[in-house]
Amino acid sequence: MSYRSYVAIGDSFTEGLNDPLLADPPVVAGQVTRYRGWADRVAERLAEQEPGFAYANLAIRGKLIDQIVESQVPQAVEMRPDLISFCAGGNDLLRPGADPDRMAKKLASAVRTLRGSGAEVLLFTGMDPRDTPIMRVARGKFAIFFMHVRGIADLYGCRLVDIWSLQALRDWRAWSADRLHLNAEGHRIVAGKVLDVLGVPSDDWRMTWPAREKVDARLKRREDVQWVREHLAPWVGRRVRGTSSGDDLDPKRPGLTPLS
């Protein structure tokens, strides 16, 4: 199927953290690095097949599902694209008291609205958190929500990208130093899977990682301590303050414009 336009909505996963657009982004105080990510990679491939292909990415890091539904969904509907991708819920599920059933009802209502615009809708399960200590305790909630996502995809005739079973992402070499976001290689793998679901030939997601040497236990402990100091502590601090890394940020591609 050929798509002439595509709008991506969601949080940091769809914004593209941590896949810098530049191989060596400059370090400037107060500057927000522009990220590429799987959605940009998919759009680039789709643009090769359709002259004049237009793309918008409304995703902003840290957003909760209610915020995405309230702000990004109406914008996407107004643009009337051929294809809309919607991935959300991870930020909600990491918070105490998250209710996956309520979240699913919110998602279903939004998907009904998106499908009503005539667009093809792409939904996602998320990564199985069993290998991530901070997220493992909420694995049950993740599983319940993503089972709902599967049901919603079936009910409304959406295409589903199953990240939960994507084995290539089980290796830490697909993840950035914060252990919560994919790196460039991880985003490349996801883009390959998305393209495959859309019927565009791609085997990138079928890759297997070469064997690696066993990591020294002392080095691993030092890395864990560094991760707590540089990534976990700031994340917990934002939760306590009720702030988000995406506060005051605008979408990187707010308009549905041709992709050069």
Side-chain angles (χ1 to χ4, degrees):
M1 185 173 179
S2 179
Y3 300 98
R4 295 167 298 172
S5 53
Y6 166 39
V7 176
I9 61 178
D11 52 28
S12 59
F13 175 70
T14 302
E15 183 186 346
L17 274 68
N18 285 315
D19 180 12
L21 187 64
L22 301 176
D24 187 19
V27 179
V28 179
Q31 176 175 303
V32 177
T33 301
R34 165 71 191 278
Y35 294 102
R36 189 184 183 195
W38 66 264
D40 285 22
R41 293 169 182 266
V42 168
E44 291 159 11
R45 183 68 179 276
L46 295 178
E48 295 175 359
Q49 302 181 324
E50 186 68 34
F53 177 85
Y55 169 54
N57 191 318
L58 307 179
I60 297 177
R61 68 197 72 171
K63 295 303 180 184
L64 303 174
I65 195 167
D66 285 353
Q67 295 171 317
I68 295 168
V69 170
E70 179 181 351
S71 176
Q72 298 178 29
V73 167
Q75 294 179 63
V77 169
E78 186 176 356
M79 293 178 186
R80 302 194 68 81
D82 295 333
L83 175 67
I84 300 172
S85 66
F86 186 1
C87 183
N91 292 317
D92 299 77
L93 291 166
L94 286 173
R95 283 165 165 75
D99 183 348
D101 298 322
R102 190 205 69 82
M103 292 167 55
K105 290 181 180 179
K106 194 78 172 184
L107 175 66
S109 177
V111 170
R112 184 166 57 248
T113 298
L114 294 173
R115 288 291 283 150
S117 72
E120 179 105 36
V121 174
L122 194 66
L123 297 179
F124 295 73
T125 64
M127 187 66 187
D128 184 348
R130 62 179 172 175
D131 298 322
T132 309
I134 188 177
M135 299 168 65
R136 187 185 303 135
V137 293
R139 191 184 185 203
K141 289 184 177 181
F142 277 80
I144 291 171
F145 178 67
F146 295 136
M147 285 300 294
H148 280 309
V149 173
R150 289 178 180 274
I152 292 168
D154 286 342
L155 180 62
Y156 293 105
C158 304
R159 294 179 184 262
L160 180 70
V161 181
D162 187 12
I163 302 296
W164 188 279
S165 63
L166 193 52
Q167 291 300 306
L169 296 185
R170 291 288 309 282
D171 193 293
W172 283 113
R173 284 172 286 187
W175 296 82
S176 59
D178 67 9
R179 305 182 184 180
L180 292 173
H181 299 99
L182 298 172
N183 58 22
E185 188 66 14
H187 280 284
R188 185 186 66 81
I189 293 169
V190 171
K193 178 65 174 178
V194 171
L195 288 167
D196 186 74
V197 170
L198 293 177
V200 180
S202 175
D203 288 326
D204 288 348
W205 66 276
R206 301 181 189 274
M207 66 161 291
T208 55
W209 293 91
R212 62 188 307 177
E213 296 181 1
K214 186 177 181 179
V215 178
D216 180 83
R218 290 174 298 179
L219 176 60
K220 180 64 168 61
R221 284 194 294 271
R222 286 199 296 269
E223 290 178 347
D224 289 343
V225 171
Q226 182 179 3
W227 172 74
V228 169
R229 182 175 61 251
E230 296 182 2
H231 300 287
L232 179 59
W235 181 84
V236 172
R238 288 195 296 272
R239 299 289 80 76
V240 172
R241 296 190 299 273
T243 61
S244 166
S245 56
D247 290 346
D248 302 321
L249 292 184
D250 296 321
K252 64 180 183 180
R253 287 185 64 91
L256 189 60
T257 55
L259 186 66
S260 60

